[in-house]
Amino acid sequence: ISREMGAKFLFHIGGIAMMTISINASLCPLLLRTLSLTRPSGLSQRSAQHLEQQLYEHARKEFDDQSKKLSEGSEADSRWNDVKFDDVKNFLLQKSHEADHVEENSDEVSEQAELQAYREIFLRFLQNEYWTYLEKGQIPRKG
């Protein structure tokens, strides 16, 4: 195959791939909503809310640390150089008020089921790490 023909071939394949991604990206959310596949279960929703709360607390702590460093005159993280601290503070306060008004999920999931789900997630994670260590040779295959 000539270089020119290869370039044309690659261009067309890339164009088809880009069109596929564009169409799928724009239509998938609509399809999932129509089929009601995006509604999380009670446990998933509570887990997501818990994760969101943990992320919020971490962001708030990091923000407080950086603003304290800046006010003390010590060198802050360079990622915060162009940040308007008042805007971030207002955003974090807004998120804090939203988190206070989150309604409890009406679907009651027993604590036992929730613990079971967390155990299963932990065991899957542990199994994945075990196999990764085996593949890297950090754990002997025979022991």
Side-chain angles (χ1 to χ4, degrees):
I1 295 179
S2 71
R3 187 172 181 87
E4 183 181 337
M5 183 63 118
K8 286 181 182 179
F9 182 75
L10 188 59
F11 174 77
H12 285 93
I13 295 298
I16 291 170
M18 190 61 194
M19 283 181 16
T20 303
I21 290 170
S22 300
I23 291 169
N24 285 344
S26 60
L27 294 180
C28 270
L30 178 64
L31 178 64
L32 290 173
R33 260 188 309 236
T34 302
L35 297 174
S36 298
L37 296 175
T38 57
R39 196 171 310 137
S41 67
L43 178 60
S44 296
Q45 190 171 7
R46 287 189 4 210
S47 296
Q49 287 173 347
H50 177 72
L51 178 62
E52 182 180 356
Q53 183 64 29
Q54 294 294 319
L55 288 171
Y56 167 76
E57 289 171 10
H58 177 74
R60 180 67 189 212
K61 181 183 175 302
E62 185 68 25
F63 174 75
D64 290 342
D65 290 348
Q66 292 299 322
S67 57
K68 192 180 297 182
K69 283 181 184 179
L70 191 65
S71 66
E72 292 172 352
S74 61
E75 190 171 320
D77 190 338
S78 62
R79 295 174 292 179
W80 292 85
N81 286 346
D82 297 326
V83 173
K84 296 177 182 171
F85 280 86
D86 291 337
D87 293 343
V88 175
K89 193 173 201 174
N90 290 337
F91 176 75
L92 288 174
L93 289 173
Q94 177 186 2
K95 291 301 281 180
S96 171
H97 294 305
E98 288 174 11
D100 292 342
H101 297 349
V102 171
E103 283 185 29
E104 288 298 318
N105 191 2
S106 60
D107 300 336
E108 275 303 315
V109 178
S110 72
E111 187 175 321
Q112 202 67 359
E114 187 172 350
L115 288 173
Q116 180 67 29
Y118 283 126
R119 282 187 199 107
E120 288 175 10
I121 291 168
F122 175 71
L123 287 174
R124 276 190 234 128
F125 170 77
L126 194 60
Q127 182 181 27
N128 184 40
E129 289 298 306
Y130 176 77
W131 285 108
T132 301
Y133 287 141
L134 274 177
E135 289 171 359
K136 290 181 179 179
Q138 294 174 331
I139 297 176
R141 290 192 183 268
K142 296 181 181 179

